[in-house]
Amino acid sequence: MKKIYTFQLKDLLMPSSMTLVFANLFPFYGVLYLGWKVFPVLLLFWIENVIIGFFNILRILACSPKNILMWCTKIFLIPFFTFHYGMFTAVHGIFVIAMFGGYEIKGDPYTIFQNSLPVVFEYNLQYAVLALFLSHAFSFIFNYIIKGEYLIENPGRLMAKPYGRIVILHLTIIFGGFLMMALHSPVSGLLLLLILKIIFDLRAHIK
């Protein structure tokens, strides 16, 4: 029987959980005070997927350091994950930036990573991006390294973990569109969307 993960006060008060919530508050500020619409929020969701992929590579590299067989596996899995996850993320980025932002994307799919940088500064998202990066960096250092998670993880399991976020991004785009139409208010829809994202993020983090 699968274990059901529920929020407990001690879980929510973990430094890494509080850092995660704090980082997710930046989009609230953007929506309420900077007038962000759908595109900047979805762009942040996508950029966070890129950040998660980056730290997942570090997790794979650091896991089970004393297991020689694991190192042989990592030599194959790290390049494969980088290409495969990178391609999935690039295609999603093109969809978000072209469909919701109205930007023209030229070149191969991987150019989306460099083409997204000017858009980040255009919408003043750099501080929100930095907050998300620091949140995941803190989780990597505090939970994964200091608390010893890297000793019990394996590359195969780590490789599959980030793909759940891609599914969530798809559902967010679809569900968010219907939500904002139903509420007749982009701001209300975005705020509810951000609350759902924090709940999903906390659940995944605590699990």
Side-chain angles (χ1 to χ4, degrees), residues 22-23 26-27 29 34 36 44 120-121 123-134:
F22 176 76
F26 271 81
Y29 177 79
L34 301 180
W36 288 1
L44 266 183
V120 168
F121 287 98
Y123 283 87
N124 292 316
L125 302 178
Q126 58 269 28
Y127 297 112
V129 171
L130 178 62
L132 289 172
F133 183 88
L134 292 177

Side-chain angles (χ1 to χ4, degrees), residues 47-61:
I47 290 173
E48 189 175 10
N49 281 341
V50 177
I51 293 170
I52 286 172
F54 169 76
F55 280 105
N56 202 55
I57 292 172
L58 296 184
R59 281 181 164 84
I60 295 173
L61 186 64

Side-chain angles (χ1 to χ4, degrees), residues 38-40 42-44 46-47 50 89-106 109-120 122-123 125 169 173:
V38 177
F39 174 61
L42 291 182
L43 182 62
L44 266 183
W46 174 74
I47 290 173
V50 177
T89 308
V91 171
H92 291 144
I94 290 172
F95 181 76
V96 169
I97 290 178
M99 294 294 293
F100 287 90
Y103 293 89
E104 183 180 356
I105 306 297
K106 298 180 180 179
Y110 287 105
T111 60
I112 187 66
F113 297 111
Q114 65 190 59
N115 288 336
S116 63
L117 289 177
V119 184
V120 168
E122 181 180 341
Y123 283 87
L125 302 178
L169 182 59
I173 292 170

Side-chain angles (χ1 to χ4, degrees), residues 176-207:
F178 284 115
L179 187 65
M180 280 175 273
M181 285 191 295
L183 294 175
H184 301 290
S185 171
V187 173
S188 300
L190 282 171
L191 292 177
L192 185 53
L193 210 60
L194 290 169
I195 291 171
L196 290 174
K197 179 184 180 294
I198 290 176
I199 293 172
F200 287 139
D201 280 355
L202 276 174
R203 183 183 181 279
H205 176 67
I206 291 169
K207 180 178 177 179

